[in-house]
Amino acid sequence: LNVERTGNTVTISCLHSLAGFALEAAESLAAPVTWTPVTTTPTRNGLYDTIVLDASSGGQYFRLRRP
């Protein structure tokens, strides 16, 4: 999982072979952590699936989870 912020966008990418995993986000890691699915559809970029999100609303934490 690679996360890169540029200006007001964040680009998240992972190997396409991890396609069976779901990307989730949380606003805080303080208990209890509430993870919500990222519903943006990824685009295929070579060996990677990539999602570009708006980062202007503040920080978030991300994880990959096998459903």
Side-chain angles (χ1 to χ4, degrees):
L1 182 65
N2 182 52
V3 180
E4 181 180 334
R5 182 174 179 161
T6 305
N8 284 334
T9 62
V10 63
T11 303
I12 302 169
S13 53
C14 67
L15 287 171
H16 179 70
S17 61
L18 297 175
F21 287 80
L23 180 64
E24 296 179 331
E27 292 183 5
S28 170
L29 295 180
V33 179
T34 302
W35 293 99
T36 56
V38 174
T39 57
T40 305
T41 303
T43 57
R44 182 92 185 256
N45 183 6
L47 296 175
Y48 295 90
D49 287 336
T50 302
I51 293 175
V52 178
L53 300 171
D54 180 23
S56 62
S57 63
Q60 287 190 323
Y61 300 89
F62 297 96
R63 73 176 183 180
L64 287 177
R65 183 182 64 82
R66 185 179 296 256

